[in-house]
Amino acid sequence: MEKLNNPIYVTQPAMPPLDEFVDLMKQIWDNRILSNNGPFHKRFEQELADYLGVNYISLFANGTLALMTALQALRITGEVITTPYSFVATTHSLWWNNIKPVFADIEPKYLNLDPEKVEAAITPQTTAIMPVHVYGNPADVERLQQIADTYGLKLIYDAAHAFGVKIKDNSILNYGDLSVLSFHATKVFNTIEGGAIVCHDEKTKQRIDYLKNFGFAGETTVIAPGINAKMNEVQAAYGLLQLKYIDGNIAKRKSIAELYRQQLMNVPGIRCINDMQGVNHTYPYFPIFVDTKAYGKSRDELYEELKKHNIFGRRYFYPLISQFPSYRGLNSSKPENLPIATGITEEVICLPIYPELSMDLILSIIDNIKI
Ligand code: T4K
């Protein structure tokens, strides 16, 4: 194996031209409006809704606060069925709302919540389902909606990985009651830190906007115990700038994913996820799955080897959320309840993918895996 000269991380934010950013900062300096629904916030909200193809969007300081607020907005209580195969923030948002997470297993193809397992986990206390479009592959939105309708449950998607994803030209964010985005530095689209909630009517947007601003509905009126989760003007201006370059950045991700897939397809013991038909992928991550027997090394052995050669993949998502101390005592956390997720979490490595990663470097990463 050849050691790369510089460390290659799982991701790196695409930076917009510095001079364009400085111009926007000068405008903020002149405006002296730094937060609280300023001019850049208003413009960004509108341009983002247009870009994503959604009717109502509310900007947030980060995705975790957006998830927490989404649950408050729909007054979710009791139990919520969710996936153990995600970033901890998905379940933490329930915990912060005093809601009991109930883990259901994932399906083996795209690693999203298995609707049949969701249905089996419903109890009289269940009020909502919180699936994740993991790695940007849409969850089974039609079947999950049917289940939600049958049992009178709310459906809140953690769409942190699903920026720009569409099913047959319709934004994935138009499904369910609410969808929550993350614009963290490590995401396909970033505002340094940031996030958003997408909803489908003006009244819900109004409530979300009140909740993220302490519950203020006017100078002296507070309608609910809200929080401070507002996006500031620097984030919003940076977001506007990022929007100009997003299509090119997604196209670069796509060509990297295609190269990985084409080159790794026939490596014994390495499996990739195929693109879903009718979905325009935006490739937030490139996960591979290592079958120890067929590959000749375990996932962790490959992970450590790659690190020695300056290639810092990440085991997203290992361990399962259900294995963290706060959650492992729950009945639904038992590995026998989650056989697919329990297997997959031991096999996954996400390989580096970001717009500025050169094809030469990708080929070196591939060579290091092929050995
Ligand atoms: N739901 C889901 C499904 C999520 O995946 C996430 C976040 C959320 C909800 C919550 O949304 P936010 O509240 O974060 O908006 C990272 C991110 O912090 C997190 O946003 C993300 N998911 C998660 C999957 O990954 P870490 O702790 O693994 O990140 P870190 O700091 O190790 O960064 C990974 C690599 O990226 C580094 O090795 C180097 C590179 N990097 C990172 C940063 C921050 C850069 O090159 N530049 C940077 O500025 O959590």
Side-chain angles (χ1 to χ4, degrees), residues 9-13 62-65 67 86-87 89-90 132 158 160-161 182-187 193-194 285 314 316-317:
Y9 297 109
V10 69
T11 188
Q12 207 173 68
N62 61 58
T64 304
L65 283 168
L67 279 170
S86 179
F87 189 60
T90 311
V132 178
D158 179 337
H161 302 175
S182 162
F183 308 144
H184 182 260
T186 55
K187 295 291 189 278
E193 293 270 0
Y285 300 93
R314 288 297 285 268
Y316 295 135
F317 292 101

Short mmCIF file of all heavy atoms in Angstrom, two decimals, residues 9-13 62-65 67 86-87 89-90 132 158 160-161 182-187 193-194 285 314 316-317, ligand 1:
data_model
loop_
_atom_site.label_atom_id
_atom_site.label_comp_id
_atom_site.label_asym_id
_atom_site.label_seq_id
_atom_site.Cartn_x
_atom_site.Cartn_y
_atom_site.Cartn_z
N TYR A 9 -9.66 13.19 4.63
CA TYR A 9 -10.76 12.96 5.56
C TYR A 9 -12.01 12.52 4.82
O TYR A 9 -12.11 12.67 3.60
CB TYR A 9 -11.03 14.22 6.39
CG TYR A 9 -9.83 14.57 7.25
CD1 TYR A 9 -9.04 15.68 6.97
CD2 TYR A 9 -9.47 13.75 8.31
CE1 TYR A 9 -7.93 15.98 7.74
CE2 TYR A 9 -8.36 14.03 9.09
CZ TYR A 9 -7.59 15.15 8.80
OH TYR A 9 -6.49 15.42 9.55
N VAL A 10 -12.96 12.03 5.59
CA VAL A 10 -14.20 11.50 5.00
C VAL A 10 -14.92 12.58 4.21
O VAL A 10 -15.58 12.31 3.21
CB VAL A 10 -15.10 10.86 6.09
CG1 VAL A 10 -15.68 11.90 7.04
CG2 VAL A 10 -16.20 10.03 5.48
N THR A 11 -14.76 13.82 4.64
CA THR A 11 -15.36 14.92 3.91
C THR A 11 -14.60 16.20 4.17
O THR A 11 -13.77 16.27 5.08
CB THR A 11 -16.85 15.11 4.30
OG1 THR A 11 -17.42 16.06 3.41
CG2 THR A 11 -17.02 15.60 5.72
N GLN A 12 -14.89 17.17 3.36
CA GLN A 12 -14.28 18.50 3.51
C GLN A 12 -15.27 19.47 2.88
O GLN A 12 -15.78 19.20 1.79
CB GLN A 12 -12.99 18.52 2.70
CG GLN A 12 -11.98 19.48 3.21
CD GLN A 12 -10.66 19.33 2.46
OE1 GLN A 12 -10.59 19.63 1.28
NE2 GLN A 12 -9.66 18.86 3.14
N PRO A 13 -15.57 20.57 3.57
CA PRO A 13 -16.57 21.47 2.98
C PRO A 13 -16.07 22.11 1.69
O PRO A 13 -14.88 22.43 1.58
CB PRO A 13 -16.78 22.53 4.06
CG PRO A 13 -15.68 22.37 5.04
CD PRO A 13 -15.07 21.01 4.86
N ASN A 62 -28.91 25.06 13.64
CA ASN A 62 -28.33 23.76 13.29
C ASN A 62 -29.45 22.72 13.17
O ASN A 62 -30.60 22.99 13.54
CB ASN A 62 -27.25 23.33 14.30
CG ASN A 62 -27.80 23.17 15.70
OD1 ASN A 62 -28.72 22.39 15.93
ND2 ASN A 62 -27.24 23.91 16.64
N GLY A 63 -29.09 21.55 12.68
CA GLY A 63 -30.08 20.52 12.43
C GLY A 63 -30.67 19.92 13.71
O GLY A 63 -31.84 19.55 13.74
N THR A 64 -29.86 19.84 14.76
CA THR A 64 -30.34 19.23 16.00
C THR A 64 -31.44 20.09 16.63
O THR A 64 -32.48 19.57 17.06
CB THR A 64 -29.16 19.04 16.99
OG1 THR A 64 -28.17 18.27 16.31
CG2 THR A 64 -29.58 18.34 18.24
N LEU A 65 -31.22 21.41 16.68
CA LEU A 65 -32.26 22.30 17.21
C LEU A 65 -33.52 22.24 16.33
O LEU A 65 -34.64 22.34 16.82
CB LEU A 65 -31.74 23.73 17.30
CG LEU A 65 -30.79 24.01 18.47
CD1 LEU A 65 -30.10 25.36 18.31
CD2 LEU A 65 -31.54 23.96 19.80
N LEU A 67 -34.55 19.55 14.69
CA LEU A 67 -35.25 18.30 15.04
C LEU A 67 -36.04 18.47 16.33
O LEU A 67 -37.21 18.07 16.44
CB LEU A 67 -34.23 17.17 15.24
CG LEU A 67 -33.70 16.46 14.00
CD1 LEU A 67 -32.53 15.54 14.37
CD2 LEU A 67 -34.79 15.65 13.30
N SER A 86 -28.31 5.70 12.59
CA SER A 86 -28.28 7.12 12.23
C SER A 86 -27.25 7.79 13.14
O SER A 86 -26.61 7.14 13.98
CB SER A 86 -29.67 7.73 12.45
OG SER A 86 -29.66 9.12 12.14
N PHE A 87 -27.12 9.09 12.96
CA PHE A 87 -26.29 9.89 13.87
C PHE A 87 -27.08 10.10 15.16
O PHE A 87 -28.31 10.22 15.12
CB PHE A 87 -25.99 11.23 13.19
CG PHE A 87 -24.98 12.08 13.89
CD1 PHE A 87 -23.70 11.63 14.10
CD2 PHE A 87 -25.31 13.36 14.33
CE1 PHE A 87 -22.74 12.42 14.74
CE2 PHE A 87 -24.37 14.16 14.96
CZ PHE A 87 -23.09 13.68 15.17
N ALA A 89 -27.89 12.41 16.97
CA ALA A 89 -28.80 13.57 17.11
C ALA A 89 -30.25 13.18 16.85
O ALA A 89 -31.16 13.77 17.45
CB ALA A 89 -28.38 14.68 16.15
N THR A 90 -30.49 12.20 16.00
CA THR A 90 -31.87 11.79 15.69
C THR A 90 -32.58 11.40 16.99
O THR A 90 -33.65 11.92 17.31
CB THR A 90 -31.88 10.60 14.70
OG1 THR A 90 -31.01 10.90 13.60
CG2 THR A 90 -33.28 10.32 14.19
N VAL A 132 -35.15 8.21 8.98
CA VAL A 132 -34.03 8.99 8.43
C VAL A 132 -33.85 8.53 6.98
O VAL A 132 -33.92 7.33 6.71
CB VAL A 132 -32.74 8.70 9.22
CG1 VAL A 132 -31.55 9.45 8.64
CG2 VAL A 132 -32.92 9.03 10.69
N ASP A 158 -36.09 12.83 9.45
CA ASP A 158 -34.76 13.40 9.60
C ASP A 158 -34.14 13.32 8.20
O ASP A 158 -33.74 12.24 7.75
CB ASP A 158 -33.95 12.60 10.63
CG ASP A 158 -32.54 13.15 10.80
OD1 ASP A 158 -32.04 13.81 9.87
OD2 ASP A 158 -31.93 12.89 11.85
N ALA A 160 -31.49 15.00 7.17
CA ALA A 160 -30.17 15.64 7.26
C ALA A 160 -29.26 15.26 6.10
O ALA A 160 -28.38 16.03 5.72
CB ALA A 160 -29.50 15.28 8.59
N HIS A 161 -29.46 14.06 5.52
CA HIS A 161 -28.59 13.61 4.42
C HIS A 161 -29.24 13.83 3.06
O HIS A 161 -28.69 13.41 2.05
CB HIS A 161 -28.30 12.11 4.54
CG HIS A 161 -27.66 11.71 5.82
ND1 HIS A 161 -27.41 10.40 6.15
CD2 HIS A 161 -27.18 12.44 6.85
CE1 HIS A 161 -26.83 10.33 7.34
NE2 HIS A 161 -26.70 11.57 7.79
N SER A 182 -30.00 19.31 7.74
CA SER A 182 -28.81 19.84 8.43
C SER A 182 -27.92 20.49 7.38
O SER A 182 -27.71 19.92 6.30
CB SER A 182 -28.04 18.70 9.10
OG SER A 182 -26.70 19.14 9.38
N PHE A 183 -27.42 21.68 7.70
CA PHE A 183 -26.45 22.34 6.82
C PHE A 183 -25.10 22.45 7.53
O PHE A 183 -24.41 23.46 7.44
CB PHE A 183 -26.94 23.75 6.44
CG PHE A 183 -28.33 23.81 5.88
CD1 PHE A 183 -29.17 24.90 6.17
CD2 PHE A 183 -28.82 22.82 5.04
CE1 PHE A 183 -30.45 24.98 5.65
CE2 PHE A 183 -30.11 22.89 4.51
CZ PHE A 183 -30.93 23.97 4.83
N HIS A 184 -24.75 21.40 8.28
CA HIS A 184 -23.44 21.38 8.97
C HIS A 184 -22.31 21.36 7.94
O HIS A 184 -22.49 20.90 6.81
CB HIS A 184 -23.36 20.14 9.87
CG HIS A 184 -22.09 20.08 10.65
ND1 HIS A 184 -21.03 19.29 10.26
CD2 HIS A 184 -21.70 20.73 11.77
CE1 HIS A 184 -20.03 19.45 11.12
NE2 HIS A 184 -20.42 20.33 12.05
N ALA A 185 -21.15 21.84 8.37
CA ALA A 185 -19.97 21.93 7.49
C ALA A 185 -19.67 20.63 6.74
O ALA A 185 -19.10 20.67 5.65
CB ALA A 185 -18.76 22.33 8.33
N THR A 186 -20.06 19.50 7.31
CA THR A 186 -19.72 18.21 6.69
C THR A 186 -20.79 17.74 5.68
O THR A 186 -20.67 16.64 5.14
CB THR A 186 -19.59 17.12 7.77
OG1 THR A 186 -20.80 17.11 8.53
CG2 THR A 186 -18.41 17.40 8.69
N LYS A 187 -21.82 18.54 5.46
CA LYS A 187 -22.93 18.09 4.62
C LYS A 187 -22.75 18.52 3.15
O LYS A 187 -21.91 19.37 2.84
CB LYS A 187 -24.24 18.66 5.17
CG LYS A 187 -24.60 18.11 6.55
CD LYS A 187 -24.96 16.65 6.47
CE LYS A 187 -25.54 16.09 7.75
NZ LYS A 187 -24.54 15.71 8.75
N GLU A 193 -22.62 26.01 10.31
CA GLU A 193 -23.61 25.24 11.06
C GLU A 193 -24.96 25.71 10.51
O GLU A 193 -25.09 26.86 10.09
CB GLU A 193 -23.56 25.56 12.56
CG GLU A 193 -22.30 25.12 13.28
CD GLU A 193 -22.40 23.71 13.86
OE1 GLU A 193 -23.44 23.04 13.70
OE2 GLU A 193 -21.39 23.27 14.45
N GLY A 194 -25.96 24.87 10.57
CA GLY A 194 -27.27 25.33 10.10
C GLY A 194 -28.22 24.17 9.92
O GLY A 194 -27.83 23.01 9.98
N TYR A 285 -22.54 10.71 1.32
CA TYR A 285 -21.56 9.76 1.83
C TYR A 285 -21.36 8.68 0.78
O TYR A 285 -22.22 8.48 -0.07
CB TYR A 285 -22.07 9.09 3.12
CG TYR A 285 -22.35 10.08 4.23
CD1 TYR A 285 -23.62 10.61 4.42
CD2 TYR A 285 -21.32 10.50 5.08
CE1 TYR A 285 -23.85 11.55 5.42
CE2 TYR A 285 -21.57 11.42 6.08
CZ TYR A 285 -22.82 11.94 6.24
OH TYR A 285 -23.06 12.86 7.22
N ARG A 314 -14.82 6.96 7.79
CA ARG A 314 -15.52 6.98 9.08
C ARG A 314 -16.52 5.83 9.13
O ARG A 314 -17.10 5.47 8.11
CB ARG A 314 -16.26 8.31 9.28
CG ARG A 314 -15.33 9.47 9.56
CD ARG A 314 -14.55 9.32 10.85
NE ARG A 314 -15.38 9.57 12.01
CZ ARG A 314 -15.51 10.76 12.60
NH1 ARG A 314 -14.85 11.81 12.15
NH2 ARG A 314 -16.29 10.89 13.63
N TYR A 316 -19.61 5.55 9.85
CA TYR A 316 -21.00 6.04 10.00
C TYR A 316 -21.92 4.94 9.53
O TYR A 316 -21.88 4.60 8.36
CB TYR A 316 -21.25 7.28 9.15
CG TYR A 316 -20.47 8.51 9.53
CD1 TYR A 316 -19.85 9.28 8.55
CD2 TYR A 316 -20.35 8.91 10.85
CE1 TYR A 316 -19.16 10.44 8.87
CE2 TYR A 316 -19.65 10.06 11.19
CZ TYR A 316 -19.05 10.82 10.19
OH TYR A 316 -18.36 11.95 10.52
N PHE A 317 -22.70 4.24 10.39
CA PHE A 317 -22.97 4.58 11.77
C PHE A 317 -22.65 3.40 12.67
O PHE A 317 -23.35 2.39 12.64
CB PHE A 317 -24.43 5.01 11.91
CG PHE A 317 -24.67 6.31 11.20
CD1 PHE A 317 -25.27 6.34 9.96
CD2 PHE A 317 -24.24 7.50 11.77
CE1 PHE A 317 -25.46 7.55 9.30
CE2 PHE A 317 -24.44 8.72 11.11
CZ PHE A 317 -25.04 8.74 9.88
N1 T4K B 1 -29.42 13.79 11.79
C1 T4K B 1 -28.51 13.14 11.05
C2 T4K B 1 -28.93 11.92 10.30
C3 T4K B 1 -27.19 13.62 10.98
O1 T4K B 1 -26.27 12.95 10.24
C4 T4K B 1 -26.85 14.79 11.70
C5 T4K B 1 -25.49 15.28 11.68
C6 T4K B 1 -27.86 15.44 12.44
C7 T4K B 1 -29.14 14.90 12.47
C8 T4K B 1 -27.58 16.68 13.24
O2 T4K B 1 -27.38 17.82 12.44
P1 T4K B 1 -26.47 19.03 12.98
O3 T4K B 1 -27.00 19.44 14.35
O4 T4K B 1 -25.03 18.57 13.02
O5 T4K B 1 -26.70 20.14 11.95
C9 T4K B 1 -20.44 15.02 11.91
C10 T4K B 1 -21.26 16.28 11.97
O6 T4K B 1 -20.92 17.13 13.05
C11 T4K B 1 -22.74 16.04 11.98
O7 T4K B 1 -23.34 17.23 11.50
C12 T4K B 1 -23.15 14.89 11.07
N2 T4K B 1 -24.56 14.58 11.18
C13 T4K B 1 -22.35 13.66 11.40
C14 T4K B 1 -22.72 12.48 10.52
O8 T4K B 1 -20.97 13.95 11.19
P2 T4K B 1 -18.53 14.10 13.48
O9 T4K B 1 -18.33 14.25 14.92
O10 T4K B 1 -18.35 12.76 12.86
O11 T4K B 1 -17.69 15.20 12.63
P3 T4K B 1 -16.14 15.48 12.63
O12 T4K B 1 -15.86 16.79 13.30
O13 T4K B 1 -15.38 14.30 13.08
O14 T4K B 1 -15.90 15.71 11.06
C15 T4K B 1 -15.74 14.66 10.14
C16 T4K B 1 -14.59 15.02 9.21
O15 T4K B 1 -14.95 16.12 8.41
C17 T4K B 1 -13.32 15.44 9.93
O16 T4K B 1 -12.49 14.33 10.07
C18 T4K B 1 -12.69 16.48 9.01
C19 T4K B 1 -13.83 16.98 8.18
N3 T4K B 1 -14.23 18.35 8.51
C20 T4K B 1 -15.07 18.59 9.57
C21 T4K B 1 -15.44 19.88 9.90
C22 T4K B 1 -16.37 20.15 11.04
C23 T4K B 1 -13.70 19.40 7.76
O17 T4K B 1 -12.91 19.17 6.82
N4 T4K B 1 -14.07 20.69 8.08
C24 T4K B 1 -14.93 20.96 9.10
O18 T4K B 1 -15.26 22.14 9.32
O19 T4K B 1 -20.03 14.62 13.18
#
